[in-house]
């Protein structure tokens, strides 16, 4: 925008300068020509009394002395046809002046000034002088140079002024844009300064109001999530009482352990909603250990439904920038999709390997009917009776770690989900850039 404003002002100033200087330059040239011709005409007229009164010998000697150092070579045509002074042909202007009319005309090399001297006994004499081109345009080049420098200076000054004006407009706009970028990166406490033109101040005020409104809405949503999560404590307490009332044994220990894990998840949801959760920048875990643990957990259900499971995990540790519980939730969501969206007996494969540049690549492929229609790849939409959040949870986990999620079709026609997880951030290093996640897919 700044460049366009400067270009607009410079172009406008140039047009104005050209429209002003071109006629002025032509006027300077015309004035120089008129001045030179007028001077030559006055000089020629001073010869009229001499031609009218002096004898031929005196006139011829005087002309020779004058032409010796005069740039205007003077020629006198007497009525009897004699030519005195500088040699010259009788041009049409000379013949016209012989009739008693003084004229000027353009000739090769300059301009011819002809003055008629009437009243002689034999008729009318003609005085002719030539103004050369150098005399006609003397000083014009210098004047044009001064005008050109003046025009260039005016354009330069107008451009500098336009640049300063553009800075006064662009600087507050850039500040407002910077505030909007910081808000987009999650800093809702930043505010735009009331600076610049009235329109820019209005934009900054609107941006501040928007940031405040977004902060209020987020706070209300977080408290709402906290309230909803807290309501789960009552049925969890009842479930724990029922579990602890079971006879001692493996089933009782397993159910109590599941209730403990569920309570921890609820507590983690409440802390996250209140902004007290762990920072994703500092989170880290061993992906090989977490994936192996979750695959072992789901293997019991796979055996019950007669599903063939192929596991190919690279030996650990495989550090990734994801908390262990978050990665567990993402793997559970992906494996739950396999059991929920493929018929019993459909096998699946889990592969974990190192990712180029650090981190890990987790791939889960099934032999089911394949991924859903592209229109269903939206958060909260599944089309098969589920909540539609599974793939979105996994995609968000991968994106927060600096990776991403890819959904495709495998060689056997089933769905293949690839989860790229970024490496842990080095201690004291800058935060890893997070790639924008596309529209959330369903579970």
């Amino acid at each position: 925008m700044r460049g366009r404003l400067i270009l607009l002002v410079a172009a406008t100033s140039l047009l104005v300068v050209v429209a002003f200087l071109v006629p002025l330059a032509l006027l300077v040239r015309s004035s120089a020509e008129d001045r030179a011709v007028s001077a030559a005409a006055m000089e020629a007229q001073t010869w009229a009394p001499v031609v009218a009164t002096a004898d031929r010998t005196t006139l011829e000697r005087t002309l020779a002395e004058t032409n010796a150092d005069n740039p205007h070579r003077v020629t006198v045509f007497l009525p009897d046809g004699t030519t005195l002074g500088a040699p010259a042909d009788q041009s049409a202007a000379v013949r016209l002046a012989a009739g008693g009319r003084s004229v000027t005309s353009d000739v090769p090399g300059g301009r011819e000034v002809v003055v008629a001297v009437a009243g002689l006994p034999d008729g009318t004499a003609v005085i002719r002088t030539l103004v050369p081109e150098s005399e006609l345009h003397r000083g014009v080049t210098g004047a044009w140079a001064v005008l050109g420098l003046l025009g260039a200076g005016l354009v330069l000054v107008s451009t500098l002024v336009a640049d300063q004006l553009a800075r006064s407009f662009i600087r507050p706009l850039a500040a407002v844009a910077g505030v909007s970028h910081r808000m987009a990166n999650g800093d809702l406490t930043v505010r735009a300064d009331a600076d610049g033109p009235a329109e820019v101040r209005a934009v900054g005020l609107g941006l501040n109001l928007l940031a405040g409104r977004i902060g209020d809405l987020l706070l209300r949503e977080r408290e709402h999530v906290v309230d909803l999560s807290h309501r789960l404590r009552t049925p969890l307490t009842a479930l724990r009482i029922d579990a602890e009332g079971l006879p001692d044994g493996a089933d009782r220990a397993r159910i109590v352990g599941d209730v403990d894990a569920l309570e921890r998840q609820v507590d983690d949801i409440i802390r996250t909603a209140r902004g007290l959760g762990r920072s994703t920048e500092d989170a880290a875990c061993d992906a090989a250990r977490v994936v192996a643990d979750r695959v072992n957990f789901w293997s019991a259900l796979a055996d019950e439904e007669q599903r063939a499971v192929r596991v190919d995990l690279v030996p650990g540790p495989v550090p990734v920038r994801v908390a262990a519980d978050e990665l567990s939730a993402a793997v559970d969501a992906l494996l739950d999709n396999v059991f929920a969206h493929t018929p019993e007996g459909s096998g699946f494969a889990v592969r974990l390997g190192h990712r180029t540049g650090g981190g890990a690549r987790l791939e889960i492929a099934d032999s089911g009917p394949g991924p859903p229609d592209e229109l269903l790849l939206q958060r909260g939409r599944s089309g098969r009776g589920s909540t539609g959040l599974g793939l979105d949870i996994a995609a968000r986990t991968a994106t927060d770690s600096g990776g991403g999620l890819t959904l495709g079709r495998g060689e056997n026609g089933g769905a293949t989900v690839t989860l790229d997880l970024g490496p842990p951030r080095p201690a004291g290093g800058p935060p890893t850039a997070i790639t924008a996640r596309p529209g959330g897919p369903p579970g």
Side-chain angles (χ1 to χ4, degrees):
M1 182 177 178
R2 174 185 170 191
R4 293 184 178 181
L5 287 175
I6 295 176
L7 182 61
L8 175 62
V9 173
T12 304
S13 302
L14 183 60
L15 290 176
V16 172
V17 167
V18 169
F20 173 74
L21 292 185
V22 169
L24 184 59
L26 296 177
L27 179 61
V28 168
R29 178 175 179 174
S30 177
S31 298
E33 293 177 352
D34 292 342
R35 183 175 60 253
V37 170
S38 298
M42 292 181 62
E43 183 179 355
Q45 289 174 357
T46 59
W47 282 92
V50 178
V51 172
T53 59
D55 57 80
R56 179 175 300 184
T57 302
T58 303
L59 179 59
E60 186 174 4
R61 186 175 61 255
T62 304
L63 286 172
E65 295 175 354
T66 301
N67 289 334
D69 56 359
N70 190 358
H72 303 156
R73 307 298 296 277
V74 179
T75 304
V76 176
F77 297 93
L78 298 177
D80 59 2
T82 304
T83 301
L84 302 178
D89 297 332
Q90 289 193 7
S91 61
V94 173
R95 291 191 294 271
L96 183 62
R101 182 178 178 182
S102 299
V103 295
T104 60
S105 64
D106 293 328
V107 295
R111 182 167 297 181
E112 187 180 44
V113 178
V114 180
V115 176
V117 181
L120 296 180
D122 298 333
T124 301
V126 177
I127 303 173
R128 174 194 178 273
T129 184
L130 178 67
V131 183
E133 290 285 348
S134 59
E135 187 72 16
L136 287 174
H137 301 149
R138 179 182 298 175
V140 173
T141 301
W144 283 5
V146 172
L147 291 177
L149 292 176
L150 178 62
L154 291 176
V155 173
L156 179 61
V157 170
S158 64
T159 302
L160 294 178
V161 172
D163 179 62
Q164 294 301 316
L165 290 176
R167 286 177 181 269
S168 65
F169 290 131
I170 299 302
R171 189 180 298 109
L173 281 177
V176 172
V179 170
S180 67
H181 289 310
R182 293 177 62 183
M183 290 182 180
N185 290 329
D187 184 5
L188 297 181
T189 61
V190 67
R191 293 294 184 269
D193 296 330
D195 191 15
E199 294 79 4
V200 178
R201 293 198 300 270
V203 172
L205 178 61
L207 187 62
N208 292 340
L209 294 176
L210 178 61
R213 180 58 176 165
I214 292 175
D216 294 339
L217 291 176
L218 287 177
L219 180 60
R220 290 177 57 186
E221 287 298 321
R222 287 174 178 173
E223 293 301 326
H224 188 56
V225 171
V226 170
D227 294 341
L228 292 178
S229 301
H230 195 271
R231 294 179 187 179
L232 295 176
R233 291 188 179 276
T234 299
L236 282 175
T237 302
L239 184 59
R240 173 178 289 278
I241 294 174
D242 292 340
E244 291 178 349
L246 295 174
D248 292 338
D251 291 339
R252 179 181 184 276
R254 178 174 54 82
I255 294 176
V256 171
D258 291 341
V259 172
D260 290 339
L262 186 56
E263 286 183 342
R264 288 195 300 270
Q265 290 291 335
V266 172
D267 292 340
D268 189 63
I269 291 174
I270 294 175
R271 286 194 301 270
T272 302
R274 288 189 177 276
L276 302 177
R278 294 182 300 271
S279 171
T280 58
E281 294 295 335
D282 300 327
C285 72
D286 180 7
R289 183 186 61 80
V290 173
V291 174
D293 178 69
R294 300 323 300 163
V295 171
N296 182 64
F297 174 83
W298 287 92
S299 295
L301 182 58
D303 292 339
E304 183 179 338
E305 295 186 359
Q306 297 182 350
R307 296 175 181 267
V309 181
R310 290 185 292 111
V311 181
D312 182 11
L313 306 181
V314 68
V318 182
V320 294
R321 183 156 56 92
V322 184
D325 54 353
E326 293 182 2
L327 181 56
S328 297
V331 176
D332 287 342
L334 297 179
L335 292 177
D336 181 67
N337 279 346
V338 174
F339 285 88
H341 300 305
T342 61
E344 291 188 14
S346 299
F348 62 91
V350 179
R351 289 181 288 271
L352 177 69
H354 292 286
R355 180 182 176 216
T356 303
R361 170 163 293 181
L362 173 63
E363 182 178 295
I364 299 178
D366 62 61
S367 57
D373 188 86
E374 291 295 331
L375 294 178
L376 299 179
L377 296 183
Q378 300 178 19
R379 177 179 172 85
R381 293 188 59 184
S382 171
R384 294 179 181 174
S386 64
T387 61
L389 299 178
L391 286 181
D392 186 79
I393 293 173
R396 186 168 59 252
T397 301
T399 301
D400 290 343
S401 73
L405 181 145
T406 304
L407 177 62
R409 188 179 297 273
E411 296 178 357
N412 56 2
T416 300
V417 180
T418 303
L419 207 65
D420 287 323
L421 304 171
R425 184 167 66 89
T432 304
I434 296 178
T435 306
R437 177 173 55 88

